[in-house]
Amino acid sequence: MINIDIKSTNEFDFALTASKDQIEKAALRALNKTSRWLRSDLVSQTAKSLNIKSTPIRDVLVIVRAKKTNLKTTVGLSKRGGVIRAIDVGSATQNSKGVRVGKRQFDNAFLATMPSGHHGVFKRKGKERLPIKEVQIFISSKLHDLMEEASHGRALSHFETVFERELRYLRKAG
């Protein structure tokens, strides 16, 4: 989870000619834009490194937006906790070795539709017919590494750029 929190805007010298209301509004808009940028950046980097589609990764990351009363935004993992079902990675096809989903091969797996209508890629836990478990891809470690890397300056430098841009816009507008 990455938190971006604004305690004081005194560090920004270009903010001296702006009103307090303009500074707060610019900070709010910059925080929310930075969190959206950070989420999309994390999604694209994770998808590229794991060689999977970005849509299931996007569903795993959530944003808690900043408000006027709380100038703090958070980008973190959802309740699913960094786990993607194998069926969500791409189109699945059954073959003699198992199941191929996108560019990944899951040996000894099979495609099945449960009585509830849930469609997925499953593996048997032992030699017996039951129990079976759904095949999942764990991305939480990769996301954690990328979040750690982003929290060391990249997110703050992007926030500063966006904040300056938003403040200039608000000063020109009114």
Side-chain angles (χ1 to χ4, degrees):
M1 179 168 57
I2 296 177
N3 290 321
I4 301 173
D5 194 2
I6 299 300
K7 302 268 192 261
S8 172
T9 54
N10 295 338
E11 304 163 12
F12 304 105
D13 57 347
F14 56 86
L16 295 175
T17 59
S19 69
K20 183 180 179 194
D21 187 44
Q22 287 175 332
I23 292 173
E24 286 178 359
K25 193 172 186 177
L28 177 71
R29 290 168 68 165
L31 278 171
N32 288 328
K33 285 183 179 185
T34 301
S35 63
R36 285 195 312 267
W37 168 82
L38 185 60
R39 178 182 178 205
S40 67
D41 187 52
L42 289 171
V43 166
S44 65
Q45 284 186 16
T46 306
K48 184 184 265 186
S49 66
L50 296 175
N51 202 12
I52 59 177
K53 291 181 182 178
S54 59
T55 305
I57 299 170
R58 190 176 300 114
D59 296 338
V60 171
L61 288 172
V62 294
I63 298 173
V64 178
R65 294 184 54 166
K67 301 177 192 119
K68 263 187 171 181
T69 56
N70 186 17
L71 289 178
K72 180 180 177 182
T73 185
T74 305
V75 178
L77 292 173
S78 68
K79 290 181 181 179
R80 290 190 347 195
V83 176
I84 298 175
R85 298 178 312 154
I87 198 76
D88 293 335
V89 174
S91 60
T93 55
Q94 184 83 43
N95 58 31
S96 61
K97 289 184 176 182
V99 177
R100 181 169 213 70
V101 182
K103 296 177 182 175
R104 294 175 182 259
Q105 173 70 32
F106 298 103
D107 291 338
N108 302 322
F110 59 94
L111 288 172
T113 303
M114 298 292 111
S116 64
H118 174 68
H119 186 68
V121 178
F122 298 93
K123 271 190 172 180
R124 301 195 190 288
K125 285 190 176 180
K127 297 253 183 207
E128 300 295 319
R129 187 168 181 264
L130 292 174
I132 61 173
K133 65 176 183 168
E134 189 167 13
V135 178
Q136 298 174 336
I137 300 170
F138 297 96
I139 62 167
S140 56
S141 61
K142 186 65 179 172
L143 275 172
H144 182 275
D145 294 343
L146 290 172
M147 285 179 176
E148 194 70 33
E149 180 185 312
S151 66
H152 293 301
R154 247 183 45 216
L156 187 60
S157 66
H158 189 268
F159 168 77
E160 289 173 354
T161 305
V162 175
F163 177 70
E164 188 174 343
R165 188 181 315 138
E166 288 295 323
L167 193 57
R168 274 199 209 109
Y169 172 76
L170 288 173
R171 282 193 339 214
K172 282 182 182 178

